[in-house]
Amino acid sequence: NAGVTQTPKFQVLKTGQSMTLQCAQDMNHNSMYWYRQDPGMGLRLIYYSASEGTTDKGEVPNGYNVSRLNKREFSLRLESAAPSQTSVYFCASRGTGPTNEKLFFGSGTQLSVL
Amino acid sequence: GNSVTQMEGPVTLSEEAFLTINCTYTATGYPSLFWYVQYPGEGLQLLLKATKADDKGSNKGFEATYRKETTSFHLEKGSVQVSDSAVYFCALSQGGTSYGKLTFGQGTILTVHP
């Protein structure tokens, strides 16, 4: 059982380049989330998808787009990367039934924008 | 808006010492409260939770009590182990369909020495 899988694990970009962070979960969860983690600031919600076919902005959506490709996959795209987007990005899915309060996190993508 | 404040870190302890990590929050209504733990190189994992006032969450020897009168959810463990070395995050959500939309504290780094 892989849980939440993120790719890539590390990425270095130049300012202005674009890239897509991939996320997939195999737990049949409905809701998925993208967070960024910055030193001294905890994690902040970028975008989320409450169910397949829907997406909504979180606290810090500027500079990002998302796609809920199907129930399993939720990707995050940086169209024109900026140094301020240097961060660790985490994808998560929310449990259902008795675990509906619990987020299951991937292991993260460390992104550096030069 | 919602906010979570954790005690400043890092925290360094000897094995078998008592641990307290303070967490206070600001939120409307009756949020659900969580502690997540992040081991080196991994994503966050739910450690414990409490969903209403006076609830006590517990797991792996860790405990935290939801205190509405002091808007606090302090994490405690009676005897820490080297394997508890990690980053600990306090978080809240407004519950229901907002369970995955967490507001995190800045995280507290815990290092336990033999």
Side-chain angles (χ1 to χ4, degrees):
Chain A
N1 190 350
V4 178
T5 303
Q6 290 183 237
T7 56
K9 292 190 180 299
F10 301 95
Q11 184 71 49
V12 178
L13 293 178
K14 295 181 179 179
T15 298
Q17 288 185 318
S18 63
M19 78 162 295
T20 300
L21 282 65
Q22 307 288 351
C23 174
Q25 52 91 11
D26 62 0
M27 296 172 283
N28 201 35
H29 291 164
N30 293 312
S31 301
M32 298 183 72
Y33 307 81
W34 277 105
Y35 284 87
R36 60 178 287 173
Q37 181 183 22
D38 300 295
M41 301 187 71
L43 281 76
R44 292 178 293 168
L45 181 63
I46 306 171
Y47 269 94
Y48 66 101
S49 171
S51 61
E52 185 179 357
T54 70
T55 61
D56 284 289
K57 296 178 180 180
E59 181 185 354
V60 288
N62 291 345
Y64 305 95
N65 286 299
V66 291
S67 296
R68 184 73 183 266
L69 304 171
N70 47 56
K71 192 171 186 179
R72 292 185 64 249
E73 299 174 285
F74 187 39
S75 63
L76 178 71
R77 182 161 178 84
L78 287 70
E79 291 290 351
S80 179
S84 61
Q85 294 178 304
T86 293
S87 187
V88 181
Y89 291 86
F90 287 99
C91 177
S93 64
R94 183 163 69 89
T96 56
T99 64
N100 71 341
E101 301 163 327
K102 180 179 179 179
L103 286 184
F104 296 79
F105 283 85
S107 57
T109 295
Q110 188 167 323
L111 175 67
S112 294
V113 182
L114 306 178
Chain B
N2 299 333
S3 67
V4 175
T5 302
Q6 290 180 231
M7 66 183 288
E8 293 289 332
V11 174
T12 303
L13 295 173
S14 298
E15 208 164 24
E16 300 184 2
F18 184 85
L19 169 70
T20 299
I21 301 177
N22 290 338
C23 171
T24 57
Y25 68 90
T26 301
T28 57
Y30 300 90
S32 294
L33 302 175
F34 307 86
W35 278 99
Y36 277 82
V37 58
Q38 183 181 28
Y39 297 103
E42 299 182 10
L44 282 72
Q45 305 172 25
L46 179 64
L47 181 59
L48 53 84
K49 67 176 176 67
T51 57
K52 60 183 188 295
D54 300 325
D55 268 1
K56 177 185 284 188
S58 61
N59 186 27
K60 299 181 180 181
F62 291 89
E63 293 183 339
T65 300
Y66 188 149
R67 300 288 188 198
K68 189 160 180 63
E69 63 275 14
T70 55
T71 62
S72 65
F73 192 54
H74 304 322
L75 183 68
E76 297 182 337
K77 187 175 186 183
S79 177
V80 294
Q81 305 300 312
V82 172
S83 58
D84 294 326
S85 298
V87 184
Y88 292 81
F89 292 92
C90 185
L92 69 81
S93 77
Q94 293 292 358
T97 57
S98 295
Y99 270 131
K101 295 167 63 179
L102 295 173
T103 299
F104 284 90
Q106 71 268 39
T108 301
I109 300 172
L110 170 66
T111 302
V112 180
H113 293 296

